[in-house]
């Protein structure tokens, strides 16, 4: 998908020698398998806080012939690994869902080798995709213009509208359940994380710095140069990507 393609591009641009790599917030494992195919010699570990996600990921790894990928259930802010365990840490579509992003970045640095790199991608809060409600609300920037309560009501109303048009009661029920799942995710797992927040956290901690960055615009604006301009990056970066390196001591 679009996110995975952007991730591969940024990952490749990071360069360097990689032997051990960690995918934080692996979800169902699709992006992890794409990354592992770039270099079969790299030992990947897929980490997620959700047992259900890891169960699905394990099935996907087996189905696609990637049984060598390790799976670990853990909180990203409390990684169960020793210092300098990985040459590369990847986190795609996860930062905006983490309740303790600053602690997570500190853990990333602790588990990263001195020459390692972190590949980070996320959807800024003010971006077209910031609400994460796009499955039902096809309205870019809706979280900027409307309150959370209004968006919850709109999501539920749209789920009911679509369910009413389905002739199959089972499909209608699944549509309603999907709407409630989106609402729960929006209320409890989508935080108003901005590009400026990431930069501030990095500056305050003084452990990591941005080596390179890329702004992916929405749709046909994916590679538009103006998207990275300071006056509009928060609003037009559908996905912001950065390669982080340890600050030289």
């Amino acid at each position: 998908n679009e996110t995975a393609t952007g991730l591969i591009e940024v990952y490749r641009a990071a360069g360097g020698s990689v032997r051990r790599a960690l995918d934080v917030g692996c979800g169902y494992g699709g992006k992890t398998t794409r990354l592992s195919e770039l270099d079969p010699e790299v030992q990947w570990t897929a980490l997620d806080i959700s047992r259900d996600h890891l169960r699905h990921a394990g099935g996907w790894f087996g189905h696609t012939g990637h049984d060598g990928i390790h799976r670990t259930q853990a909180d990203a802010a409390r990684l169960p690994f020793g210092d300098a365990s990985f040459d590369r840490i990847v986190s795609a579509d996860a930062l905006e869902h983490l309740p303790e992003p600053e602690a997570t970045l500190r853990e990333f640095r602790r588990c990263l080798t001195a020459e390692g790199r972190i590949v980070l991608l996320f959807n800024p809060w003010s971006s077209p995709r910031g609400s994460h409600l796009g499955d039902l609300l096809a309205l870019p920037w809706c979280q900027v213009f409307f309150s959370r309560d209004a968006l919850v009501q709109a999501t539920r109303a749209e789920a009911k509208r679509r369910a009413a048009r389905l002739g199959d009661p089972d499909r209608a029920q699944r549509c309603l359940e999907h709407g409630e799942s989106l609402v729960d995710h929006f209320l409890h797992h989508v935080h108003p994380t901005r590009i400026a927040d990431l930069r501030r956290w990095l500056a305050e901690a003084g452990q990591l710095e941005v080596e390179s960055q890329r702004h992916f615009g929405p749709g046909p604006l994916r590679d538009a140069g103006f998207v990275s301009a300071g006056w509009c990056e928060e609003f037009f970066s559908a996905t912001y990507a950065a390669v982080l390196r340890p600050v030289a001591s």
Side-chain angles (χ1 to χ4, degrees):
N1 61 33
E2 187 176 340
T3 299
T5 300
L7 171 60
I8 296 300
E9 292 176 15
V10 178
Y11 182 91
R12 282 176 167 157
S17 175
V18 181
R19 293 182 299 122
R20 297 163 297 170
L22 174 67
D23 182 11
V24 176
C26 67
Y28 287 178
K31 292 189 292 290
T32 317
T33 56
R34 289 281 301 274
L35 289 165
S36 68
E37 289 167 356
L38 296 176
D39 185 352
E41 298 302 315
V42 176
Q43 176 59 65
W44 278 92
T45 296
L47 181 142
D48 205 286
I49 198 169
S50 168
R51 185 185 300 272
D52 184 57
H53 285 178
L54 288 172
R55 180 176 60 82
H56 280 279
W60 177 250
F61 296 157
H63 176 72
T64 56
H66 296 85
D67 298 292
I69 298 176
H70 298 160
R71 289 177 292 151
T72 298
Q73 182 183 10
D75 185 340
R78 296 162 186 83
L79 296 176
F81 308 110
D83 296 354
S85 293
F86 300 98
D87 310 298
R88 184 68 48 85
I89 297 176
V90 172
S91 179
D93 287 346
L95 185 67
E96 69 269 40
H97 305 303
L98 300 176
E100 299 179 81
E102 294 170 272
T104 297
L105 290 170
R106 287 194 295 270
E107 279 292 88
F108 284 3
R109 174 61 190 96
R110 181 184 65 79
C111 293
L112 190 69
T113 61
E115 300 299 322
R117 294 294 185 270
I118 297 167
V119 176
L120 188 68
L121 289 82
F122 74 100
N123 303 138
W125 171 250
S126 298
S127 78
R129 303 173 183 166
S131 72
H132 291 265
L133 294 171
D135 278 4
L136 289 177
L137 292 185
L139 180 61
W141 297 287
C142 60
Q143 76 286 355
V144 175
F145 299 107
F146 301 99
S147 69
R148 282 186 179 257
D149 286 344
L151 292 177
V152 167
Q153 293 177 27
T155 301
R156 285 174 170 156
E158 179 61 15
K160 289 180 181 178
R161 187 188 71 83
R162 295 190 186 189
R165 297 173 61 183
L166 297 172
D168 183 344
D170 290 337
R171 291 179 61 200
Q173 182 60 33
R174 287 197 297 271
C175 182
L176 293 173
E177 291 173 354
H178 181 55
E180 286 305 310
S181 176
L182 286 176
V183 166
D184 179 76
H185 186 67
F186 175 65
L187 290 177
H188 302 111
H189 303 290
V190 178
H191 303 287
T193 304
R194 303 173 302 153
I195 299 171
D197 293 325
L198 172 62
R199 291 173 181 154
R200 175 170 52 83
W201 297 332
L202 295 176
E204 290 175 351
Q207 296 181 318
L208 296 164
E209 62 186 0
V210 175
E211 180 176 66
S212 63
Q213 63 181 352
R214 185 164 174 187
H215 303 71
F216 293 98
L221 299 178
R222 181 182 188 272
D223 298 310
F226 77 88
V227 174
S228 62
W231 62 272
C232 69
E233 64 174 352
E234 298 281 3
F235 298 97
F236 283 96
S237 297
T239 299
Y240 173 77
V243 176
L244 309 179
R245 65 187 176 194
V247 172
S249 56

